[in-house]
Amino acid sequence: VPLDGGEPRRITPVAFRSLSYAAWSPDGRALALVEDGRLSITAMNEKGEMTGSPRRLSSDLADAPRWSGDSKSLVYLSMDRLKRVFVDTGRTEEIKLQLEWQPEKVAGRLVIHAGRMFDGKSADYHRNLDIVVEGNRIKEVRPHSQSLHTGNWIDATDKTVIPGLFEMHAHQGISLGEKQGRTWLAFGVTSVREPGTDPYEALESREAWESGRRPGPREFFCGRLFDGSRVFYSIAEGLASDAHLDLALERARRLEYDLIKTYVRMPDAAQKKIAAAAHRMGIGTSSHEIYPAAAHGMDGMEHTGATSRRGYSPKLSAMSRSYGDVVEILARSQMNYTPTLILPGVPLILAENPESLKNAQFIALYGEKAAQALATRAVMANNPAFRDSIAAQGKTVLSVLKAGGRVTAGTDSPFLPYGLALQLELQILVRSGFTPFEAIRSATLWSAEAVGVGSDLGSIERGKLADMVIVEGDPLQKIEDTLKVSVTIKNGKAYPIKDLLAAPK
């Protein structure tokens, strides 16, 4: 972009390829770029024009390159290392750092006297119980005993205790700062699955939340989407060669991804290779694709429709109908299905339940203007064709459940507000024919099992991690009551709603 005016001009260092990063040198004589996963530079003249082809500087994977002030070297991330490369010689050195963190150690006993408890498994409540937590784990769930009500205890005799909620499809950033974590907890979300993000930002969030430096949920993430040679979203990485794919898989292993998501332009044969590699790492995979993804061993599928490399949706017709083979493949393969039904369906829920935007969490964390802006989308519900489309998609999701498929709750936030969107997803699942029990199970036990942490999370049982939500009302009768959060307990630590809605001092 000329500083003195004029039209912006596109610079294309490598034709028909997506670049992960580009950074102009301070002296204006070179452009650093990451292409095919490796760091290169290309010479530039005073007009900002390339005067040669890119020259490779590194053979290892490079992320986030930054120039030194004298334009003689670049610093970049390489998986779990920080490195410097000197432009003239190509010599590379590692910058040694001592960066350590420890998970928060929660000590002491916490007792919750639950009038009603949904354990995540049974279709009805257990009543008048004491949930005894030692440190960060549930020591026992037992009939109420007044003798336990000493020290640190919570009186929930007129409330309902449910397992902490999982958000199974959200994409985060660092722009919200510490408020991001509080927002999740305020809506009862104690675990977030993030199928596509900047891996270094996700690691920062995970470590900050797990160490207790900032309040927030558990973080289960995939780094950048594994995509083909060209990408659409900035959280995707164009993998145009086997060598680059191998580097990206090694990054996933070194940074301890929890899953890998392949994206729209990734060829089917490469998707099969990725699924096998992920399983060797002990992690799952997901994509938008249904077949041959199921035959290739992919573990999950996102969205009712969404983009596809085929140029059309193999899952959903133009009239929002799905054929029987979609239901059968999902049910028989046991691929986890996260339909994100609220993403297209939010106008319908807002039209039918406008009170959802008046809850204390949304007003405190997002503000009245955000509520008013979101409320305007309800007008789409007046369109009969729109209502028919959402009903048809909901029918497919219910059919998958009834056929024995595994459905979990996710939203694709930030297209919809974090936290609130998951609560509305539960409402639209019930509207589509799920029982409240089935909807809550989709956001608790089944989500934990899909992520691979079902032995620790997703239900209220002896020995499991103490992630719970205390809500007012009766959510197994009225799903909207899951929104009435009183206290969120994550890792044995209780967060009253008033504390979550207040900015730190």
Side-chain angles (χ1 to χ4, degrees), residues 7 76 99 109 112 137 156 188 209 236 242 286 305 309 343 346 350-351 381 388 443 474 491:
E7 291 296 317
Y76 63 97
L99 300 176
R109 187 182 75 168
I112 304 102
R137 289 192 178 269
W209 292 337
D242 287 341
S286 194
R309 69 178 61 91
L343 187 59
V346 69
L350 294 180
D388 178 71
D474 185 351
N491 204 41

PDB file of all heavy atoms in Angstrom, residues 7 76 99 109 112 137 156 188 209 236 242 286 305 309 343 346 350-351 381 388 443 474 491:
ATOM      1  N   GLU A   7      -3.224   3.017  -5.516  1.00  0.00           N
ATOM      2  CA  GLU A   7      -3.915   1.746  -5.372  1.00  0.00           C
ATOM      3  C   GLU A   7      -3.029   0.710  -4.686  1.00  0.00           C
ATOM      4  O   GLU A   7      -1.827   0.627  -4.959  1.00  0.00           O
ATOM      5  CB  GLU A   7      -4.327   1.220  -6.752  1.00  0.00           C
ATOM      6  CG  GLU A   7      -5.420   2.028  -7.425  1.00  0.00           C
ATOM      7  CD  GLU A   7      -6.720   1.984  -6.650  1.00  0.00           C
ATOM      8  OE1 GLU A   7      -7.090   0.880  -6.188  1.00  0.00           O
ATOM      9  OE2 GLU A   7      -7.364   3.036  -6.495  1.00  0.00           O
ATOM     10  N   TYR A  76      12.426 -17.078  14.594  1.00  0.00           N
ATOM     11  CA  TYR A  76      11.193 -17.775  14.263  1.00  0.00           C
ATOM     12  C   TYR A  76      10.957 -18.935  15.225  1.00  0.00           C
ATOM     13  O   TYR A  76      11.886 -19.435  15.876  1.00  0.00           O
ATOM     14  CB  TYR A  76      11.213 -18.279  12.819  1.00  0.00           C
ATOM     15  CG  TYR A  76      12.286 -19.300  12.515  1.00  0.00           C
ATOM     16  CD1 TYR A  76      12.003 -20.668  12.524  1.00  0.00           C
ATOM     17  CD2 TYR A  76      13.585 -18.904  12.191  1.00  0.00           C
ATOM     18  CE1 TYR A  76      12.980 -21.609  12.229  1.00  0.00           C
ATOM     19  CE2 TYR A  76      14.566 -19.833  11.889  1.00  0.00           C
ATOM     20  CZ  TYR A  76      14.255 -21.189  11.906  1.00  0.00           C
ATOM     21  OH  TYR A  76      15.231 -22.117  11.617  1.00  0.00           O
ATOM     22  N   LEU A  99      11.377 -21.972  30.078  1.00  0.00           N
ATOM     23  CA  LEU A  99       9.955 -21.687  30.243  1.00  0.00           C
ATOM     24  C   LEU A  99       9.296 -22.910  30.854  1.00  0.00           C
ATOM     25  O   LEU A  99       9.241 -23.971  30.226  1.00  0.00           O
ATOM     26  CB  LEU A  99       9.311 -21.356  28.896  1.00  0.00           C
ATOM     27  CG  LEU A  99       9.884 -20.144  28.154  1.00  0.00           C
ATOM     28  CD1 LEU A  99       9.215 -20.006  26.794  1.00  0.00           C
ATOM     29  CD2 LEU A  99       9.694 -18.875  28.968  1.00  0.00           C
ATOM     30  N   ARG A 109     -10.710 -30.010  51.008  1.00  0.00           N
ATOM     31  CA  ARG A 109     -11.963 -30.703  50.731  1.00  0.00           C
ATOM     32  C   ARG A 109     -13.064 -29.701  50.404  1.00  0.00           C
ATOM     33  O   ARG A 109     -13.151 -28.633  51.006  1.00  0.00           O
ATOM     34  CB  ARG A 109     -12.375 -31.545  51.941  1.00  0.00           C
ATOM     35  CG  ARG A 109     -13.592 -32.444  51.669  1.00  0.00           C
ATOM     36  CD  ARG A 109     -13.999 -33.227  52.903  1.00  0.00           C
ATOM     37  NE  ARG A 109     -14.692 -32.363  53.874  1.00  0.00           N
ATOM     38  CZ  ARG A 109     -15.359 -32.825  54.932  1.00  0.00           C
ATOM     39  NH1 ARG A 109     -15.373 -34.121  55.171  1.00  0.00           N
ATOM     40  NH2 ARG A 109     -15.964 -31.986  55.752  1.00  0.00           N
ATOM     41  N   ILE A 112     -20.393 -30.551  48.208  1.00  0.00           N
ATOM     42  CA  ILE A 112     -21.582 -29.941  47.608  1.00  0.00           C
ATOM     43  C   ILE A 112     -22.790 -30.764  48.026  1.00  0.00           C
ATOM     44  O   ILE A 112     -22.862 -31.976  47.737  1.00  0.00           O
ATOM     45  CB  ILE A 112     -21.500 -29.896  46.070  1.00  0.00           C
ATOM     46  CG1 ILE A 112     -20.233 -29.165  45.612  1.00  0.00           C
ATOM     47  CG2 ILE A 112     -22.732 -29.229  45.479  1.00  0.00           C
ATOM     48  CD1 ILE A 112     -19.135 -30.083  45.150  1.00  0.00           C
ATOM     49  N   ARG A 137     -10.341 -34.024  42.572  1.00  0.00           N
ATOM     50  CA  ARG A 137     -11.104 -35.205  42.158  1.00  0.00           C
ATOM     51  C   ARG A 137     -12.258 -35.485  43.115  1.00  0.00           C
ATOM     52  O   ARG A 137     -12.232 -35.103  44.276  1.00  0.00           O
ATOM     53  CB  ARG A 137     -10.206 -36.438  42.055  1.00  0.00           C
ATOM     54  CG  ARG A 137      -9.249 -36.374  40.870  1.00  0.00           C
ATOM     55  CD  ARG A 137      -8.579 -37.696  40.593  1.00  0.00           C
ATOM     56  NE  ARG A 137      -7.710 -37.593  39.421  1.00  0.00           N
ATOM     57  CZ  ARG A 137      -8.084 -37.849  38.180  1.00  0.00           C
ATOM     58  NH1 ARG A 137      -9.320 -38.263  37.938  1.00  0.00           N
ATOM     59  NH2 ARG A 137      -7.240 -37.717  37.178  1.00  0.00           N
ATOM     60  N   ALA A 156     -26.496 -26.590  47.870  1.00  0.00           N
ATOM     61  CA  ALA A 156     -27.249 -26.617  46.615  1.00  0.00           C
ATOM     62  C   ALA A 156     -28.507 -27.461  46.788  1.00  0.00           C
ATOM     63  O   ALA A 156     -28.935 -28.174  45.871  1.00  0.00           O
ATOM     64  CB  ALA A 156     -26.370 -27.163  45.490  1.00  0.00           C
ATOM     65  N   GLY A 188     -21.112 -22.160  32.200  1.00  0.00           N
ATOM     66  CA  GLY A 188     -21.075 -23.557  32.619  1.00  0.00           C
ATOM     67  C   GLY A 188     -20.173 -24.447  31.797  1.00  0.00           C
ATOM     68  O   GLY A 188     -20.211 -25.675  31.938  1.00  0.00           O
ATOM     69  N   TRP A 209      -4.678 -21.436  31.856  1.00  0.00           N
ATOM     70  CA  TRP A 209      -5.870 -21.937  32.541  1.00  0.00           C
ATOM     71  C   TRP A 209      -5.547 -23.109  33.452  1.00  0.00           C
ATOM     72  O   TRP A 209      -6.053 -23.192  34.567  1.00  0.00           O
ATOM     73  CB  TRP A 209      -6.931 -22.323  31.513  1.00  0.00           C
ATOM     74  CG  TRP A 209      -7.505 -21.138  30.775  1.00  0.00           C
ATOM     75  CD1 TRP A 209      -7.519 -19.836  31.193  1.00  0.00           C
ATOM     76  CD2 TRP A 209      -8.142 -21.149  29.496  1.00  0.00           C
ATOM     77  NE1 TRP A 209      -8.125 -19.032  30.255  1.00  0.00           N
ATOM     78  CE2 TRP A 209      -8.527 -19.815  29.194  1.00  0.00           C
ATOM     79  CE3 TRP A 209      -8.427 -22.140  28.559  1.00  0.00           C
ATOM     80  CZ2 TRP A 209      -9.179 -19.470  28.012  1.00  0.00           C
ATOM     81  CZ3 TRP A 209      -9.078 -21.803  27.381  1.00  0.00           C
ATOM     82  CH2 TRP A 209      -9.451 -20.475  27.118  1.00  0.00           C
ATOM     83  N   ALA A 236      -5.849 -22.033   8.828  1.00  0.00           N
ATOM     84  CA  ALA A 236      -5.506 -23.207   8.031  1.00  0.00           C
ATOM     85  C   ALA A 236      -4.073 -23.097   7.535  1.00  0.00           C
ATOM     86  O   ALA A 236      -3.499 -22.014   7.447  1.00  0.00           O
ATOM     87  CB  ALA A 236      -6.463 -23.351   6.857  1.00  0.00           C
ATOM     88  N   ASP A 242       4.335 -33.718   0.425  1.00  0.00           N
ATOM     89  CA  ASP A 242       4.474 -34.713   1.487  1.00  0.00           C
ATOM     90  C   ASP A 242       5.448 -34.244   2.559  1.00  0.00           C
ATOM     91  O   ASP A 242       5.256 -34.517   3.752  1.00  0.00           O
ATOM     92  CB  ASP A 242       4.943 -36.043   0.905  1.00  0.00           C
ATOM     93  CG  ASP A 242       3.841 -36.761   0.129  1.00  0.00           C
ATOM     94  OD1 ASP A 242       2.661 -36.422   0.333  1.00  0.00           O
ATOM     95  OD2 ASP A 242       4.165 -37.647  -0.683  1.00  0.00           O
ATOM     96  N   SER A 286     -10.854 -35.300  12.652  1.00  0.00           N
ATOM     97  CA  SER A 286     -12.184 -34.889  12.217  1.00  0.00           C
ATOM     98  C   SER A 286     -12.063 -34.076  10.939  1.00  0.00           C
ATOM     99  O   SER A 286     -10.963 -33.641  10.555  1.00  0.00           O
ATOM    100  CB  SER A 286     -12.888 -34.077  13.309  1.00  0.00           C
ATOM    101  OG  SER A 286     -14.272 -33.952  13.016  1.00  0.00           O
ATOM    102  N   GLY A 305     -23.886 -29.488   7.206  1.00  0.00           N
ATOM    103  CA  GLY A 305     -23.543 -29.319   5.794  1.00  0.00           C
ATOM    104  C   GLY A 305     -22.101 -28.891   5.667  1.00  0.00           C
ATOM    105  O   GLY A 305     -21.187 -29.692   5.734  1.00  0.00           O
ATOM    106  N   ARG A 309     -14.585 -30.369  -0.415  1.00  0.00           N
ATOM    107  CA  ARG A 309     -13.653 -30.295  -1.547  1.00  0.00           C
ATOM    108  C   ARG A 309     -14.342 -30.667  -2.857  1.00  0.00           C
ATOM    109  O   ARG A 309     -13.798 -30.427  -3.938  1.00  0.00           O
ATOM    110  CB  ARG A 309     -12.459 -31.217  -1.307  1.00  0.00           C
ATOM    111  CG  ARG A 309     -12.758 -32.699  -1.342  1.00  0.00           C
ATOM    112  CD  ARG A 309     -11.509 -33.539  -1.142  1.00  0.00           C
ATOM    113  NE  ARG A 309     -10.898 -33.285   0.127  1.00  0.00           N
ATOM    114  CZ  ARG A 309     -11.167 -33.967   1.254  1.00  0.00           C
ATOM    115  NH1 ARG A 309     -12.051 -34.951   1.212  1.00  0.00           N
ATOM    116  NH2 ARG A 309     -10.587 -33.678   2.378  1.00  0.00           N
ATOM    117  N   LEU A 343     -25.712 -22.984  14.471  1.00  0.00           N
ATOM    118  CA  LEU A 343     -25.055 -22.044  13.558  1.00  0.00           C
ATOM    119  C   LEU A 343     -26.032 -21.525  12.498  1.00  0.00           C
ATOM    120  O   LEU A 343     -26.162 -20.309  12.322  1.00  0.00           O
ATOM    121  CB  LEU A 343     -23.832 -22.711  12.921  1.00  0.00           C
ATOM    122  CG  LEU A 343     -22.927 -21.832  12.067  1.00  0.00           C
ATOM    123  CD1 LEU A 343     -22.372 -20.668  12.871  1.00  0.00           C
ATOM    124  CD2 LEU A 343     -21.780 -22.661  11.487  1.00  0.00           C
ATOM    125  N   VAL A 346     -29.872 -20.284  14.740  1.00  0.00           N
ATOM    126  CA  VAL A 346     -30.016 -19.327  15.839  1.00  0.00           C
ATOM    127  C   VAL A 346     -31.201 -18.373  15.676  1.00  0.00           C
ATOM    128  O   VAL A 346     -31.854 -18.028  16.674  1.00  0.00           O
ATOM    129  CB  VAL A 346     -28.701 -18.559  16.080  1.00  0.00           C
ATOM    130  CG1 VAL A 346     -28.365 -17.608  14.943  1.00  0.00           C
ATOM    131  CG2 VAL A 346     -28.745 -17.821  17.412  1.00  0.00           C
ATOM    132  N   LEU A 350     -33.871 -17.669  18.817  1.00  0.00           N
ATOM    133  CA  LEU A 350     -34.040 -16.313  19.339  1.00  0.00           C
ATOM    134  C   LEU A 350     -35.470 -15.818  19.158  1.00  0.00           C
ATOM    135  O   LEU A 350     -35.984 -15.077  20.003  1.00  0.00           O
ATOM    136  CB  LEU A 350     -33.063 -15.359  18.649  1.00  0.00           C
ATOM    137  CG  LEU A 350     -31.581 -15.603  18.922  1.00  0.00           C
ATOM    138  CD1 LEU A 350     -30.733 -14.587  18.180  1.00  0.00           C
ATOM    139  CD2 LEU A 350     -31.281 -15.556  20.420  1.00  0.00           C
ATOM    140  N   ALA A 351     -36.118 -16.233  18.074  1.00  0.00           N
ATOM    141  CA  ALA A 351     -37.511 -15.830  17.863  1.00  0.00           C
ATOM    142  C   ALA A 351     -38.430 -16.509  18.870  1.00  0.00           C
ATOM    143  O   ALA A 351     -39.383 -15.897  19.370  1.00  0.00           O
ATOM    144  CB  ALA A 351     -37.932 -16.180  16.434  1.00  0.00           C
ATOM    145  N   ALA A 381     -36.618 -16.010  11.098  1.00  0.00           N
ATOM    146  CA  ALA A 381     -37.529 -17.088  11.465  1.00  0.00           C
ATOM    147  C   ALA A 381     -38.921 -16.906  10.878  1.00  0.00           C
ATOM    148  O   ALA A 381     -39.727 -17.845  10.885  1.00  0.00           O
ATOM    149  CB  ALA A 381     -37.608 -17.204  12.985  1.00  0.00           C
ATOM    150  N   ASP A 388     -38.354 -24.432   7.442  1.00  0.00           N
ATOM    151  CA  ASP A 388     -38.356 -25.786   6.889  1.00  0.00           C
ATOM    152  C   ASP A 388     -36.935 -26.341   6.793  1.00  0.00           C
ATOM    153  O   ASP A 388     -36.693 -27.518   7.081  1.00  0.00           O
ATOM    154  CB  ASP A 388     -39.012 -25.770   5.508  1.00  0.00           C
ATOM    155  CG  ASP A 388     -39.012 -27.135   4.860  1.00  0.00           C
ATOM    156  OD1 ASP A 388     -39.766 -28.016   5.316  1.00  0.00           O
ATOM    157  OD2 ASP A 388     -38.244 -27.333   3.898  1.00  0.00           O
ATOM    158  N   ALA A 443     -23.415 -32.910  25.537  1.00  0.00           N
ATOM    159  CA  ALA A 443     -22.459 -31.859  25.922  1.00  0.00           C
ATOM    160  C   ALA A 443     -21.656 -32.222  27.158  1.00  0.00           C
ATOM    161  O   ALA A 443     -20.938 -31.385  27.695  1.00  0.00           O
ATOM    162  CB  ALA A 443     -23.203 -30.548  26.166  1.00  0.00           C
ATOM    163  N   ASP A 474     -34.665 -26.992  36.876  1.00  0.00           N
ATOM    164  CA  ASP A 474     -34.774 -28.431  36.608  1.00  0.00           C
ATOM    165  C   ASP A 474     -34.455 -28.691  35.138  1.00  0.00           C
ATOM    166  O   ASP A 474     -35.348 -28.832  34.302  1.00  0.00           O
ATOM    167  CB  ASP A 474     -36.201 -28.887  36.936  1.00  0.00           C
ATOM    168  CG  ASP A 474     -36.397 -30.389  36.820  1.00  0.00           C
ATOM    169  OD1 ASP A 474     -35.489 -31.075  36.316  1.00  0.00           O
ATOM    170  OD2 ASP A 474     -37.468 -30.874  37.221  1.00  0.00           O
ATOM    171  N   ASN A 491     -12.009 -28.385  38.050  1.00  0.00           N
ATOM    172  CA  ASN A 491     -10.819 -28.950  38.690  1.00  0.00           C
ATOM    173  C   ASN A 491     -10.863 -28.827  40.214  1.00  0.00           C
ATOM    174  O   ASN A 491      -9.845 -28.614  40.872  1.00  0.00           O
ATOM    175  CB  ASN A 491      -9.552 -28.282  38.139  1.00  0.00           C
ATOM    176  CG  ASN A 491      -8.324 -29.157  38.279  1.00  0.00           C
ATOM    177  OD1 ASN A 491      -8.387 -30.366  38.044  1.00  0.00           O
ATOM    178  ND2 ASN A 491      -7.201 -28.576  38.674  1.00  0.00           N
TER     179      ASN A 491
END
